[in-house]
Amino acid sequence: MSCDQSYPFQQVFYVDGAQHPGQLPNWSRRGQKVARSGGCTGVIPTLATVVLLLFLLVFAALGFGGYLMYNMQMELRDVRKMSRELKRAQEFSRAEKQIGLGDDGGEKVDKNERMEERTAAHVIGRIEKHIFHKTLRWESRVGAAFTGGGAVYQLEDGALRVNQSGLYHIYSRVELLFKQCSPTSSFIHTVFVRSTSGVDTALMEAHRAGFCSWRSKLKEHHAWTADSYLASAFRLRQNDRILVNVSQPQYLSHSNHGNFFGLYKI
């Protein structure tokens, strides 16, 4: 039976001012049918409202999820940015400590801060006009030269002294200019350590010769530049001193950056 089906109205006849006993209307039954018809027509709007509310809840949940995702992305971007800035600051601080520079670009003087630096030193060639030392002297505070941590430059003998025992990388380069180069031109480049007892021990040595021989056939005297580079790792003890010798220091070039000497703790 459909929701819009209706029942025919039962006619009531009056006889002499009274209703016929057999034709009394059944009001209770008719009311039930009317109620049933009205309830069926109200289901559809109710279901539509429920479905609409569900859709609204779904869209609201999606929108809230997107908002949370956007906030998380923004926070992640900020965290990455802060991490990069912190990393750059740490790298700058490490480099500053390694080369022994302060905030104003000058050499640090605070003893506690210097002890926290990594032991390292780099000294450059010193121009000698009249006195030629076989054991070379160096510039420790000019240009790119520096000393830091537990490394100290000793002006009196040209040594780099280490205040901490450990493994060190040591390097040295010399550049010599022979104004009249010949097949017999040669030199010896030596890096040695002097212990606290005064004993010298060679660490590295190079003997350069024959670098002018190919021009000797022309019987010409000409200028020629020769260089030597030595580098290796060695275990040093506290207060050991590292020095550099050149057999013919009078031929050293006047290039500060062509002659250098240094070490750092590994």
Side-chain angles (χ1 to χ4, degrees):
M1 182 178 297
S2 62
C3 294
D4 57 354
Q5 184 177 358
S6 60
Y7 293 89
F9 181 75
Q10 297 181 359
Q11 297 181 355
V12 180
F13 299 91
Y14 296 89
V15 180
D16 296 333
Q19 295 180 349
H20 192 276
Q23 298 297 327
L24 292 175
N26 191 350
W27 299 107
S28 62
R29 183 177 180 182
R30 185 182 179 190
Q32 292 175 358
K33 292 180 179 181
V34 173
R36 288 177 183 177
S37 176
C40 185
T41 57
V43 168
I44 295 176
T46 303
L47 289 176
T49 303
V50 172
V51 172
L52 180 60
L53 290 175
L54 290 176
F55 273 106
L56 290 176
L57 288 175
V58 170
F59 284 117
L62 291 176
F64 184 68
Y67 175 74
L68 292 179
M69 185 66 68
Y70 175 77
N71 285 343
M72 290 177 63
Q73 291 178 352
M74 295 299 292
E75 291 178 358
L76 182 60
R77 186 184 67 178
D78 294 340
V79 170
R80 289 177 177 174
K81 183 178 179 181
M82 293 176 61
S83 177
R84 289 194 298 267
E85 292 178 353
L86 180 60
K87 184 178 180 180
R88 286 196 295 266
Q90 290 175 347
E91 291 177 353
F92 179 78
S93 177
R94 287 196 297 267
E96 185 181 73
K97 287 184 176 181
Q98 184 173 357
I99 64 175
L101 296 180
D103 296 334
D104 57 352
E107 187 175 0
K108 292 184 179 180
V109 296
D110 187 270
K111 185 176 180 180
N112 294 329
E113 291 182 1
R114 289 177 63 87
M115 293 305 294
E116 293 177 0
E117 301 172 22
R118 175 177 293 183
T119 300
H122 179 83
V123 292
I124 61 177
R126 179 179 178 181
I127 299 174
E128 302 283 358
K129 295 183 178 179
H130 302 290
I131 300 175
F132 301 101
H133 297 282
K134 184 176 180 181
T135 300
L136 303 185
R137 272 45 172 185
W138 308 90
E139 296 286 355
S140 62
R141 297 185 179 183
V142 176
F146 70 90
T147 57
V152 178
Y153 174 69
Q154 296 186 163
L155 180 62
E156 61 272 15
D157 58 0
L160 287 176
R161 177 169 53 85
V162 295
N163 294 331
Q164 298 175 357
S165 300
L167 190 63
Y168 288 83
H169 180 82
I170 305 172
Y171 58 91
S172 173
R173 183 185 187 273
V174 294
E175 182 179 80
L176 279 72
L177 177 61
F178 294 86
K179 294 182 179 180
Q180 293 185 349
C181 196
S182 67
T184 59
S185 298
S186 65
F187 67 93
I188 298 175
H189 176 204
T190 307
V191 177
F192 64 98
V193 57
R194 179 170 295 164
S195 64
T196 53
S197 61
V199 178
D200 295 345
T201 303
L203 299 178
M204 298 175 284
E205 185 174 277
H207 183 203
R208 294 294 313 278
F211 42 83
C212 294
S213 59
W214 69 276
R215 296 291 299 270
S216 63
K217 296 180 180 180
L218 301 178
K219 297 181 180 180
E220 294 180 356
H221 293 288
H222 55 278
W224 192 265
T225 300
D227 65 89
S228 173
Y229 180 81
L230 298 173
S232 188
F234 297 94
R235 187 169 298 279
L236 302 178
R237 293 177 295 181
Q238 185 178 7
N239 293 324
D240 277 350
R241 289 174 289 171
I242 313 302
L243 305 98
V244 178
N245 273 5
V246 173
S247 59
Q248 300 190 54
Q250 68 274 18
Y251 292 135
L252 283 171
S253 70
H254 288 180
S255 172
N256 297 99
H257 300 288
N259 301 281
F260 55 82
F261 165 45
L263 56 81
Y264 58 87
K265 195 173 188 296
I266 301 176

